[in-house]
């Protein structure tokens, strides 16, 4: 058990240890949100990326986590990023890609990072979220981008309309409200966002 006989094993084992601390990111999905209950209809998977703050804003690391329907929080593990300042970018199967506010966020490897997209519109680049509740003040990621082309428009409307006509159910991109049914409620959200020309805003 002497150190001179165990050192090589310890060095080898250390390569497999992950000292990263999960980042706590909060986000609300517009169509999933029920303001009467101040919760979302369901938990769902969201992707998060750390991007460089300088053009071309390359992805440095990425992670997936489930956003809780009550706390709106998910634990995202960025195991490959070194300490620095990054944009945090989140996306979901039918939300618009949403960037954190201008200037980025400081990330220190091995330390906890917290970021809240639903706290205020100023938390996002271009204030690209929608207020879904006044008290407590809650902002949500726009959703309705069923084809994930970073704009909510006629093509997304067409996708939802077709799935309504075909009585599509289940875990699909056209289910904007997260209730596993594609119906008029989903279409209404897409129509409103399309009429307001809602699109992703990035540096």
């Amino acid at each position: 058990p002497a150190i001179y006989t165990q050192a090589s094993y310890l060095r080898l084992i250390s390569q497999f240890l992950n000292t990263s601390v999960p980042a706590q990111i909060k986000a609300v999905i517009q169509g999933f949100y029920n303001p009467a209950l101040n919760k979302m209809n369901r938990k769902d998977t969201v992707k998060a990326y750390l991007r460089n703050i300088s053009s071309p804003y390359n992805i440095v690391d990425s992670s997936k986590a489930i956003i809780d329907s009550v706390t709106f929080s998910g634990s995202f593990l960025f195991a490959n990023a070194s300490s620095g300042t990054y944009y945090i970018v989140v996306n979901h199967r039918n939300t618009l890609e949403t960037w954190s506010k201008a200037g980025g966020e400081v990330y220190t490897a091995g330390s906890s990072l917290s970021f809240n997209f639903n706290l205020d519109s100023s938390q996002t680049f271009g204030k690209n979220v929608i207020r879904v509740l006044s008290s407590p003040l809650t902002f949500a990621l726009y959703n309705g981008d069923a084809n994930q082309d970073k704009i909510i428009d006629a093509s997304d409307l067409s996708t939802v309309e077709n799935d309504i006509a075909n009585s599509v159910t289940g875990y699909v991109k056209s289910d904007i409200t997260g209730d596993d049914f594609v119906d008029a409620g989903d279409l209404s959200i897409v129509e409103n966002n399309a009429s307001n020309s809602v699109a992703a805003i990035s540096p």
Side-chain angles (χ1 to χ4, degrees):
I3 188 62
Y4 53 81
T5 60
Q6 299 297 317
S8 58
Y9 295 111
L10 292 173
R11 185 178 299 118
L12 176 64
I13 290 170
S14 70
Q15 301 303 309
F16 296 95
L17 297 177
N18 191 333
T19 58
S20 298
V21 177
Q24 298 302 312
I25 298 175
K26 286 190 172 186
V28 171
I29 298 166
Q30 177 191 8
F32 285 27
Y33 184 69
N34 183 333
L37 301 175
N38 190 27
K39 61 183 285 189
M40 293 195 296
N41 293 331
R42 68 182 306 156
K43 300 176 181 180
D44 211 350
T45 301
V46 169
K47 295 178 184 177
Y49 304 89
L50 295 183
R51 285 183 174 265
N52 282 326
I53 59 169
S54 301
S55 181
Y57 311 106
N58 290 329
I59 295 172
V60 174
D61 207 347
S62 64
S63 180
K64 282 184 183 180
I66 294 174
I67 294 290
D68 188 74
S69 60
V70 177
T71 66
F72 313 132
S73 183
S75 296
F76 295 83
L77 186 63
F78 298 111
N80 302 311
S82 56
S83 298
T85 302
Y86 303 103
Y87 281 113
I88 301 170
V89 182
V90 291
N91 201 15
H92 163 266
R93 60 187 161 116
N94 59 33
T95 64
L96 282 178
E97 175 185 276
T98 307
W99 293 56
S100 61
K101 62 184 182 287
E105 299 300 310
V106 176
Y107 170 74
T108 304
S111 297
S112 179
L113 169 68
S114 295
F115 192 81
N116 192 339
F117 280 93
N118 65 286
L119 185 64
D120 191 84
S121 60
S122 63
Q123 290 289 91
T124 62
F125 196 92
K127 297 186 175 182
N128 202 26
V129 284
I130 183 169
R131 185 170 64 182
V132 290
L133 190 65
S134 295
S135 182
L137 191 60
T138 305
F139 289 82
L141 311 178
Y142 285 105
N143 72 328
D145 185 14
N147 63 6
Q148 292 291 281
D149 64 354
K150 301 183 182 182
I151 185 169
I152 301 173
D153 58 12
S155 61
D156 301 299
L157 279 169
S158 177
T159 298
V160 175
E161 287 171 342
N162 287 340
D163 285 354
I164 290 172
N166 291 313
S167 302
V168 173
T169 61
Y171 190 82
V172 292
K173 289 185 176 184
S174 52
D175 175 23
I176 310 304
T177 58
D179 62 359
D180 289 333
F181 294 95
V182 185
D183 55 21
D186 304 296
L187 188 63
S188 175
I189 293 170
V190 179
E191 283 179 333
N192 287 338
N193 288 340
S195 67
N196 289 319
S197 302
V198 177
I201 301 176
S202 58

